[in-house]
Amino acid sequence: MSDVRYKIMFSGELMPDFDLAQVEQNLAQLFKSDIDKIRQLFSGKPVALKRDLSGDQAEKYLTALQRAGAKVSKENDLASALSLVATDDHPEPEPQTASASPAMQEQADDRMSCPKCGFEQPKAAECSGCGIIIEKFLARQAEFEASIQPATSSAASPYATPQAAVYDNTGEEGELKYLNFGGRIGRLRLLAWNLLLMVVGYLVIAVAGGMVIGDFLAPLGWLIGIAAFIALMVYSFSFTIQRLHDIGWSGWLVLLYFVPFVNFIFPFLILLMPGTQGPNRFGPPPPANGTGVKIAGGICIVMMVIAPISIAISLPAYMAYMENAGMMGGEGMEGMEGMEGFDEEAFLEYQQQLEQQQ
C-alpha cells in the first residue's frame, strides 16, 4: 500500500494581522516571481501550490506559507495516490512501443506537462496555464527540497521551532541610494546622512559666500550658492521620504514641513517612530547600520543634546551684554560732555582735520 500524498491548496485568503500588499510581496520573494503573476493567485479560485508531498513535507510547506501570510490548507492528493497494481487475474500489459508510429512518437515528444499546475502543452520555456518559467521553478523546488531535507530526516518534535527557512528568504535587504524617492532608511541612517549633507552643503555655500563678499566672481558665487541650496533641499526631502517609507507612511507627508507649527513637531516624530519589521508596501527593509553610520548618527545625537544646553547657558549672558551695550550707546555725547576737562570745540576741529586728510 502506498503512502498518503498531500497537496497544498490556496484560495486567496489571508492569515490574521496580514494585509494584501504585504502577503503579495512575501510570496513574490518566496517564489522569486513577478508580483503581477502572484496577484493572479488571489482570484478566489482554489489553486494547488504544491502536489505529491509526504506528510512531513506538506507540514513544512504549510508552516512556511502561513508565516508568509497565506491561509493555505493541506489536502489529500488523490490523483498522486492512485496507482494501477498488476494482479494474477489482471497482469500488467506489455508496453507496445513498437506499434507506435514515428509520427505519434514525435508528437508525444513535443508535448509536456507543467510541474506546478499540470497543464499539458507543447514544449516551451513558460507554462501557458500558470505563467511560470519552468526551468526557474524546478531550480527553486530543488533548492527548497534541499533546505528541508535535513529536517525531514529526523523525528519531528512538536516543541521544536519550524525549520523551514522559506519566510526568512523574504527578508531581502533594500538598496541604499542618497537620491531615491522609493527606498527605505532607518532613524540612525537619517541622522548620519543629514549630518553629511549639512557638512558638504555648508562648505559649498561658504565658498560661494566668500566669492560674493570678496567681489571675486560674484555672479558665479551667487549661481553656486543657489544651486547648492536647491540640492540641499532635494536631498533632504529624499532622505525624509525614505524614512517615511520605512515607517510605512506615504512620502507625500513630507509636505507637512510647509505647514506652520506642524513643521516643528514633524521632524521629531519621524525620528521617534520605529520602522516596519520586514518588507512593507515600499520594499524590503534597509541594510543594517555600518560603523560609519553609527559614528555619524551618534555625533548628530550628541549635537542635538548639547545645542539646547549651550543656548540655555549662553542666552542670559548674551542678553546682559546687549543690555549693557544699549546703555552705553544711550549715553552718547552726553556722557562725554560729563567728562571732566572735555573740550567739544577742540574735538570737532580735530574731527574736521581727519576728514580733510582723507
Side-chain angles (χ1 to χ4, degrees):
M1 180 176 179
S2 60
D3 296 336
V4 179
R5 311 300 291 179
Y6 298 93
K7 60 183 177 180
I8 303 298
M9 299 298 297
F10 178 59
S11 59
E13 298 183 19
L14 307 180
M15 296 294 292
D17 300 329
F18 281 89
D19 55 44
L20 180 60
Q22 181 181 3
V23 176
E24 289 178 348
Q25 186 69 29
N26 292 343
L27 293 181
Q29 296 287 340
L30 174 63
F31 292 110
K32 294 183 175 61
S33 179
D34 188 9
I35 191 67
D36 294 331
K37 294 181 179 179
I38 293 297
R39 286 172 180 158
Q40 297 177 2
L41 300 176
F42 294 87
S43 61
K45 299 179 180 179
V47 178
L49 299 181
K50 183 65 178 176
R51 293 179 178 273
D52 194 18
L53 298 173
S54 65
D56 292 338
Q57 290 177 333
E59 287 297 329
K60 296 297 180 182
Y61 277 97
L62 192 69
T63 302
L65 290 169
Q66 287 178 349
R67 291 180 61 190
K71 189 175 182 180
V72 294
S73 59
K74 181 181 71 173
E75 299 180 4
N76 291 338
D77 193 358
L78 300 179
S80 300
L82 293 177
S83 61
L84 297 178
V85 181
T87 61
D88 295 337
D89 297 335
H90 299 83
E92 182 178 358
E94 297 181 359
Q96 300 179 358
T97 56
S99 61
S101 63
M104 294 176 61
Q105 184 67 29
E106 182 179 357
Q107 183 178 4
D109 293 340
D110 290 339
R111 299 192 64 81
M112 56 168 287
S113 297
C114 175
K116 180 181 178 182
C117 66
F119 182 77
E120 293 188 1
Q121 64 176 26
K123 285 187 176 180
E126 183 175 353
C127 175
S128 302
C130 60
I132 66 166
I133 305 299
I134 297 176
E135 183 177 356
K136 293 183 178 180
F137 178 79
L138 293 176
R140 288 196 301 269
Q141 292 299 315
E143 293 177 0
F144 182 78
E145 294 289 347
S147 66
I148 67 174
Q149 189 64 31
T152 58
S153 60
S154 60
S157 172
Y159 305 103
T161 58
Q163 300 296 321
V166 178
Y167 184 73
D168 296 336
N169 293 336
T170 62
E172 181 182 355
E173 295 179 346
E175 184 179 2
L176 293 177
K177 292 182 181 180
Y178 291 109
L179 189 59
N180 184 12
F181 298 96
R184 294 172 55 182
I185 60 174
R187 292 171 288 185
L188 197 61
R189 184 170 278 113
L190 174 66
L191 292 175
W193 284 11
N194 276 322
L195 179 63
L196 176 63
L197 180 66
M198 180 178 63
V199 172
V200 175
Y202 283 177
L203 288 176
V204 176
I205 292 178
V207 173
M211 297 171 64
V212 173
I213 295 174
D215 200 19
F216 174 71
L217 298 177
L220 180 60
W222 279 108
L223 183 61
I224 294 176
I226 294 173
F229 176 77
I230 295 175
L232 284 174
M233 294 294 294
V234 172
Y235 275 90
S236 179
F237 281 1
S238 172
F239 299 164
T240 304
I241 290 173
Q242 294 184 65
R243 180 69 192 101
L244 290 170
H245 288 173
D246 188 50
I247 301 174
W249 296 348
S250 172
W252 288 105
L253 292 176
V254 74
L255 298 178
L256 291 177
Y257 274 124
F258 300 100
V259 180
F261 302 107
V262 178
N263 52 12
F264 290 101
I265 304 174
F266 185 62
F268 296 99
L269 184 61
I270 62 177
L271 286 177
L272 294 176
M273 291 293 295
T276 306
Q277 295 293 332
N280 61 15
R281 59 188 177 124
F282 299 104
N289 296 322
T291 304
V293 172
K294 294 178 181 178
I295 294 175
I299 293 173
C300 195
I301 293 175
V302 171
M303 293 173 59
M304 293 173 62
V305 173
I306 293 178
I309 298 176
S310 302
I311 293 174
I313 295 175
S314 61
L315 186 59
Y318 177 75
M319 296 297 294
Y321 168 77
M322 293 298 296
E323 184 177 356
N324 293 333
M327 291 177 61
M328 291 293 295
E331 293 176 358
M333 188 63 70
E334 296 178 357
M336 297 181 65
E337 290 177 353
M339 295 175 59
E340 185 177 356
F342 175 74
D343 190 351
E344 183 178 355
E345 294 181 359
F347 176 77
L348 294 176
E349 183 178 354
Y350 176 72
Q351 189 175 7
Q352 291 177 359
Q353 290 178 1
L354 291 177
E355 292 177 355
Q356 291 175 0
Q357 290 178 2
Q358 292 178 356

